Amino acid sequence: MPSHGPPSRRHLLVLCVMVAVTALMCAALLSAAALVPAPAAVLPFLAVICIGCPMAAAYELPGAIAGLRRGGRALDARAIEALRRQLDALPETQHPLGL
């Protein structure tokens, strides 16, 4: 599978907006089905769909928010390598309880 670069800020914003729109549309649909006399057999199916769709849409939301917080940029490989070198240079210590 080819690796594409990190998503752009615009793509991340569109993803967040689409999750919000999905949640609002499902809430409106469930409210309309509850207020308008809908068949009783349809309500459980509709409730599962209206709860499951926003949950499925929100699956990628934490990654999108994290991408927006770091400005849509990829992590700097040199900074990660420097951090790993610093961590490797730390001395090993014994557990205080001898475990």
Side-chain angles (χ1 to χ4, degrees), residues 17-82:
V17 169
M18 291 305 293
V19 169
V21 167
T22 301
L24 289 174
M25 288 178 63
C26 286
L29 180 63
L30 192 59
S31 298
L35 293 175
V36 175
V42 175
L43 286 178
F45 176 71
L46 194 60
V48 168
I49 294 297
C50 287
I51 292 171
C53 282
M55 288 176 62
Y59 180 72
E60 293 185 25
L61 196 57
I65 291 172
L68 286 172
R69 284 185 178 166
R70 70 174 176 255
R73 297 181 307 270
L75 296 176
D76 186 14
R78 292 176 294 178
I80 293 173
E81 185 60 35

